[in-house]
Amino acid sequence: MFLGMSPEERLLANDNASRTILELRDAYRQQKANERKPEKMTHQIYSATGCARCHITKRFMKENGMDYEEYDIEADGKDAFAKFYRVHRAEIYRDKDGVEFPVYTDGSVIRQGVSVVIGHLVAGNGLDGFIGRSTLHGEWIDGFNISGGDPSRAGDLLKVMAYLKQNNLKILLTTDGRNPEVLKAVHDENLGDRIVMEVKGPAELYEALAGESIDPNALETSIRLAARFPDYQFYSIVAPMIPKDDTVRYLTPEEIGETAKTIEKATGSKKHPYELRPFDPDSAVDDRLKSAEPLPANAFFKYRTSARQYMVMTQIAK
């Protein structure tokens, strides 16, 4: 192949051939590395003796062929959890009753509570908007926000809820009217035992109140569906908002009346449990609302009077 080449051309050809061989060798090594089987994921569960929700989580993992290591904090897993807690204290929720169990980790994420853990095992982060921490104990569980997740993951959500129902937990849902198709699926599968629906205001004010608009038909569909659950309640927060003129103002009594009228229109009834709640500045997402002056308690009577034209059972939250 070097016939007719000058000495310089032969050196250049040799150099190119060497580089090609090295490149082929590196590509081969990379290919073999890619072919290596991933390390088997290790599931770890921190549980407590007698914890029914830990038992449900472990049963789910067994039924789905997921091996796990368990550390019972009231047995020989006490020291292991103490060490884990010291390292991950900021990521583990703890209230006045202590740490909620089960606590799960696969080494890359930490999840806590039966619904959150099973949701993660079913769909990774795909249900994070739908499922949050439960504040209820015993036979009731909450933390399910129908409006908060991706509707395309509704099938995974139903799978989690169905498993909890099979294990005798009663499910409390919340919604603000978005994702009515998900709410319908939950209702049709009889997976919700109680629903609390926040009707933020008339549909045309949703964007000013919540930062996101809503289709009036979707809002009315959700209201109609909510009223079909075994137990339900509607409520509105008499909240400040930022309309298009960028001036912060509270919902008016007339607008709360229109909200109650929307519920009546959707259901064809004036007799639904409807509650008016005060605004908590600490809950505001928009910093401009955190400094809003709270309404005095006696201001709510006008709101109640306006709402009772359409919802005769309207109450002011105590």
Side-chain angles (χ1 to χ4, degrees):
M1 65 181 290
F2 297 141
L3 290 177
M5 290 183 175
S6 66
E8 291 77 11
E9 289 172 334
R10 291 179 183 181
L11 286 172
L12 180 60
N14 274 327
D15 184 53
N16 288 339
S18 297
R19 281 193 292 171
T20 301
I21 291 171
L22 289 174
E23 289 170 358
L24 288 171
R25 185 197 64 186
D26 291 343
Y28 174 77
R29 287 176 175 175
Q30 185 62 48
Q31 179 182 352
K32 299 304 289 182
N34 292 339
E35 290 174 355
R36 289 175 191 155
K37 293 182 179 179
E39 293 183 6
K40 186 176 181 180
M41 183 178 292
T42 300
H43 303 288
Q44 295 180 335
I45 289 283
Y46 295 94
S47 64
T49 302
C51 166
R53 299 186 180 195
C54 300
H55 185 68
I56 293 170
T57 306
K58 291 184 291 180
R59 182 186 300 154
F60 178 87
M61 297 178 76
K62 288 178 181 176
E63 291 175 358
N64 288 276
M66 300 176 184
D67 296 332
Y68 60 86
E69 298 169 357
E70 181 181 8
Y71 301 92
D72 187 332
I73 65 154
E74 295 178 8
D76 55 5
K78 181 178 180 180
D79 291 341
F81 181 69
K83 181 179 179 182
F84 182 79
Y85 184 76
R86 282 197 297 272
V87 175
H88 301 286
R89 186 186 189 99
E91 301 168 76
I92 299 174
Y93 176 76
R94 181 184 189 118
D95 62 12
K96 60 182 178 58
D97 297 321
V99 173
E100 180 185 10
F101 289 97
V103 176
Y104 163 90
T105 184
D106 61 8
S108 60
V109 299
I110 296 173
R111 293 291 184 268
Q112 194 172 0
V114 59
S115 55
V116 174
V117 173
I118 293 179
H120 175 75
L121 295 173
V122 168
N125 296 330
L127 296 178
D128 284 0
F130 280 130
I131 305 177
R133 184 176 60 82
S134 174
T135 60
L136 301 178
H137 304 289
E139 65 178 354
W140 280 93
I141 187 168
D142 63 351
F144 292 88
N145 179 8
I146 298 300
S147 305
D150 177 357
S152 69
R153 307 307 295 263
D156 291 330
L157 175 65
L158 297 184
K159 181 177 180 180
V160 175
M161 295 176 70
Y163 194 80
L164 298 178
K165 287 283 287 181
Q166 290 168 17
N167 283 276
N168 303 314
L169 287 175
K170 294 183 177 179
I171 297 175
L172 188 154
L173 311 166
T174 60
T175 180
D176 67 9
R178 292 173 289 156
N179 293 343
E181 66 280 18
V182 180
L183 184 60
K184 184 177 187 307
V186 171
H187 174 267
D188 291 351
E189 295 295 325
N190 195 29
L191 296 177
D193 297 281
R194 174 173 167 78
I195 185 166
V196 178
M197 179 171 181
E198 180 185 4
V199 186
K200 290 182 178 293
E204 62 270 20
L205 292 180
Y206 255 63
E207 185 168 1
L209 287 162
E212 186 174 348
S213 62
I214 190 170
D215 183 304
N217 292 327
L219 178 59
E220 291 186 17
T221 299
S222 289
I223 291 171
R224 192 159 43 250
L225 287 166
R228 295 175 184 168
F229 276 74
D231 189 8
Y232 66 94
Q233 182 188 43
F234 298 107
Y235 77 93
S236 297
I237 297 175
V238 181
M241 58 181 173
I242 307 174
K244 293 180 180 178
D245 63 3
D246 215 29
T247 302
V248 176
R249 71 167 178 84
Y250 272 90
L251 280 164
T252 66
E254 291 74 19
E255 288 165 342
I256 285 292
E258 286 299 311
T259 308
K261 186 178 181 180
T262 300
I263 299 172
E264 183 200 9
K265 179 186 175 187
T267 62
S269 172
K270 292 179 180 287
K271 296 182 178 179
H272 297 292
Y274 180 48
E275 187 174 78
L276 302 179
R277 300 182 181 181
F279 172 68
D280 176 7
D282 292 337
S283 68
V285 176
D286 192 316
D287 288 340
R288 292 173 293 178
L289 301 179
K290 290 184 181 297
S291 59
E293 191 71 25
L295 291 175
N298 59 10
F300 281 78
F301 296 126
K302 286 186 177 179
Y303 287 93
R304 184 178 64 183
T305 299
S306 182
R308 279 184 171 175
Q309 298 175 74
Y310 308 100
M311 286 291 110
V312 298
M313 298 165 62
T314 302
Q315 297 291 338
I316 301 170
K318 297 179 179 176

